[in-house]
Amino acid sequence: MTQKGIPEVLAPAGDMERLEAALRYGADAVYLGGKQHTMRSAPKNFTPEQLAEGCRRAHAQGVRVYCTVNTLLNNDEVAGLPGYLHELRDCGVDAFIVADMGVLMLARREVPEVEVHISTQAGVTNYLTARELFGLGAKRVVLARELTLEEIRGIRQNTPPELELEYFVQGAMCVSFSGRCLLSNYFTGRDGNRGECAQPCRWRYHLVEETRPGQYFPISEEENGTYILNAKDLCLLPHLDKLRDAGVDSFKIEGRAKSAYYVAVAVNAYRTATDLLKNEVYDPPAWLLAEPEKLSHRPYCTGFLFGRPEDGQRVPGGYIRAWEAAGVVEGWERGRLLCSQRNKFRVGDTLEALLPGRPPVVIPVEDLRDGAGEAIQATPHATMAFSLPWPEALPVGTVLRFMAEGEVGR
């Protein structure tokens, strides 16, 4: 819990831009990876210099930084681990996120001043394991996504109150149990448990009969095949009060490999919703419940929160991308917003400005100009400067978005 007595909003940060988005839109803490032992190799992650700067910026706003050290180590990686942990400590991280018991014990001996959080990769599903990990020095456990609300409540009731419980509330889910999947390694040689998953569970598959090589039969009526392993995404924003009441201390947003736009929208939504837990009744307004739909996502579900899913966790398609980032506000001058482009949009489109803790502000695109002040009809060039008329300044870094074509892709 935060000092305010409500759960922490924990945001992903794949690089400095995404870290800044998390800070701007109200995260209480961020989790990120260094250049070693991290379960996400796709993001840029942080060099020691970047990590130190990121910690400095976060701490200046009262935001904590948790660094992943959550792969399962091989023998040849052990010798360098103490030095790496000391390096992370010197950069200013507040906690290590670990999955390996050896890493847990080494961290407690080498740098006892840094908290240790147990990764969801460890698969904590019961109070006995959580209690024993606390006895070994863990400050927090990231509970397995496969737990129900009642199971979370049972863990909270049977563990020391000093042990913090963290639970995923938003984002992609693995078709395997908390990432224990060998498909990527088998198909591509990229080890999902070393942060290099190629996500073969998201691929389309057909059936081939042994005596009919080259003939591909659809497994369902979907003419382009079916995604037989493709899990839905998780969205628990309507149920944060239930998680709070069950004893969850930290609401975790998945997405270190996702965009700064994703981080901004998700953090703003969960920050605003979490703040509503101060009220006697948790009743998020319609605009807030709609915010997760403006992210790139697969169809949503509530995972295992209310029991084993019976309505099907697989979806016959890829991402829904109904909204895109249009640009980012860089300043305001003489009645115009000065911005940097993120995706192409045109005169006649309607933008929304994403402002912390409030409904988005609608901005019609009627007078669009480039960085030189020349009238233009569209913004076709990546990160190009553009301006729009607006009567007042908006905070630097404000995200602008627009409704795209609603494309769906893998």
Side-chain angles (χ1 to χ4, degrees), residues 17 31 41 63 66 91 104 117 121 131 139 147 173 176 190 194 211-212 214 219 246 282 294 320 324 330 366 387 391:
E17 181 185 15
Y31 66 102
S41 62
V63 174
Y66 311 145
C91 288
L104 164 63
H117 299 175
Q121 296 299 121
R131 203 158 55 195
K139 174 68 173 176
L147 291 177
M173 295 190 296
S176 182
R190 290 168 53 181
R194 312 291 292 178
T211 64
R212 295 175 174 83
I219 299 171
Y282 177 67
K294 297 179 179 182
I320 300 167
E324 299 276 6
E330 304 285 356
E366 298 171 345
S387 70

Side-chain angles (χ1 to χ4, degrees), residues 145-180:
R145 291 176 175 89
E146 294 76 19
L147 291 177
T148 68
L149 194 64
E150 289 306 310
E151 289 170 329
I152 296 169
R153 184 175 288 110
I155 291 174
R156 179 71 287 165
Q157 292 171 347
N158 292 279
T159 51
E162 295 82 9
L163 176 66
E164 298 173 355
L165 303 182
E166 181 177 307
Y167 194 74
F168 280 94
V169 294
Q170 176 72 36
M173 295 190 296
C174 183
V175 71
S176 182
F177 188 99
S178 294
R180 300 182 185 185

Side-chain angles (χ1 to χ4, degrees), residues 71-119:
T71 57
L72 302 178
L73 271 66
N74 296 325
N75 284 336
D76 57 5
E77 295 175 307
V78 171
L81 183 60
Y84 183 60
L85 295 178
H86 281 277
E87 179 180 274
L88 297 179
R89 186 273 314 276
D90 293 343
C91 288
V93 302
D94 298 288
F96 306 131
I97 304 173
V98 311
D100 189 303
M101 289 295 295
V103 178
L104 164 63
M105 302 311 293
L106 181 67
R108 298 310 299 142
R109 290 194 300 269
E110 289 286 332
V111 279
E113 64 273 28
V114 179
E115 292 180 6
V116 177
H117 299 175
I118 304 301
S119 171

Side-chain angles (χ1 to χ4, degrees), residues 5 15 48 71 116 152 194 200 210 248 283 285 297 302 319 321 392:
D15 59 18
T71 57
V116 177
I152 296 169
R194 312 291 292 178
E210 182 179 4
V248 172
D283 187 22
H297 68 283
T302 55
Y319 286 107
R321 297 188 177 96
E392 59 183 352

Side-chain angles (χ1 to χ4, degrees), residues 206-223:
H206 285 75
L207 180 68
V208 178
E209 199 276 326
E210 182 179 4
T211 64
R212 295 175 174 83
Q215 297 184 42
Y216 301 97
F217 300 94
I219 299 171
S220 71
E221 295 182 3
E222 179 78 15
E223 66 178 4

Side-chain angles (χ1 to χ4, degrees), residues 333-387:
E333 188 175 288
R334 294 193 295 274
R336 298 188 70 86
L337 291 174
L338 310 179
C339 310
S340 174
Q341 183 257 31
R342 292 298 179 269
N343 282 290
K344 181 181 178 180
F345 64 94
R346 299 174 175 82
V347 171
D349 287 340
T350 299
L351 305 186
E352 287 188 350
L354 185 68
L355 299 175
R358 53 179 287 193
V361 173
V362 174
I363 301 178
V365 183
E366 298 171 345
D367 176 13
L368 185 60
R369 301 183 188 180
D370 63 17
E374 299 294 328
I376 54 176
Q377 293 299 306
T379 58
H381 305 300
T383 68
M384 66 175 287
F386 69 89
S387 70

